[in-house]
Amino acid sequence: MSTRPRGRVGHLFQGRFKGILVEKESHLLELARYVVLNPVRAGMFATPKDWRWGSDRATAGLDAPAPFLTTDWLLRSFGEARAPAEAGYRGFGAAGINTPCPWDALKNQIFLGSEAFVARMQAMIDPDRALLEPPGSSAVRRRNRWLSVLRDIPSVIKRWRKPTETASTACKPSRTSSGSGG
């Protein structure tokens, strides 16, 4: 499908994904909240917990997390024990519905953090360094993480499938009564 007739250029996901350096201490929580609130801000759902494909229900303790979803790192920001941390996370999410978009604080198109953070990151850049491929070990780790996610997809779909979407009610080819071998 061409993008030209639709007044667009490039591939489907062009401009959708990019790398941003984020200062964990000041902006990472806000980004986590931004992600789960996107369906609410888009007017698709009233609350993040209504979006069954998001991570909010699992992080809030309403559902078990999918095998590929890690919630502990985020919950630790709200408490040491799981139940109070989940309660703190739920309050944090609800309080963010009318907050400004975190991208408004983006600096130099790639930094999200304090001025000191931006200065530290810029000081690490060597403008004369040759452009290299990522180290093999990190590329292998990324590939293995994706393979793990892909392996988990069938179990996630099975768990999230509605009761009416069972294999017995799935679309099956119809049989012809003519008996011809078609």
Side-chain angles (χ1 to χ4, degrees):
M1 179 175 273
S2 174
T3 56
R4 189 169 293 143
R6 290 166 181 74
R8 307 272 185 188
V9 296
H11 56 81
L12 176 63
F13 297 110
Q14 182 172 333
R16 298 261 185 207
F17 304 101
K18 60 183 172 181
I20 304 289
L21 290 173
V22 178
E23 186 174 20
K24 180 180 179 182
E25 295 79 12
S26 63
H27 287 77
L28 191 57
L29 278 178
E30 193 57 44
L31 284 180
R33 176 164 58 185
Y34 168 80
V35 168
V36 298
L37 288 176
N38 268 338
V40 175
R41 289 181 175 145
M44 297 165 58
F45 295 95
T47 67
K49 70 180 178 186
D50 297 334
W51 177 243
R52 79 180 221 188
W53 300 110
S55 61
D56 187 70
R57 292 187 60 80
T59 308
L62 303 175
D63 288 337
F68 56 81
L69 181 63
T70 303
T71 60
D72 289 356
W73 72 268
L74 180 58
L75 290 173
R76 258 187 247 120
S77 301
F78 300 99
E80 295 295 318
R82 182 164 297 280
E86 289 168 345
Y89 169 80
R90 288 190 296 270
F92 175 74
I97 289 179
N98 295 315
T99 59
C101 176
W103 300 123
D104 295 342
L106 194 64
K107 297 173 177 79
N108 300 341
Q109 298 182 2
I110 61 167
F111 300 111
L112 195 54
S114 66
E115 294 296 333
F117 170 76
V118 173
R120 281 193 316 273
M121 295 301 107
Q122 287 179 325
M124 298 171 128
I125 299 171
D126 178 3
D128 298 325
R129 184 180 60 85
L131 298 175
L132 304 172
E133 290 292 322
S137 61
S138 64
V140 169
R141 283 195 304 271
R142 280 194 305 274
R143 185 183 73 231
N144 288 343
R145 277 196 302 263
W146 278 109
L147 289 174
S148 172
V149 168
L150 292 174
R151 275 192 302 271
D152 290 336
I153 288 174
S155 67
V156 171
I157 290 172
K158 182 186 249 183
R159 196 175 79 213
W160 286 344
R161 185 177 280 173
K162 293 178 185 174
T164 59
E165 297 173 346
T166 62
S168 63
T169 61
C171 182
K172 296 178 182 176
S174 61
R175 294 186 179 174
T176 59
S177 59
S178 64
S180 64

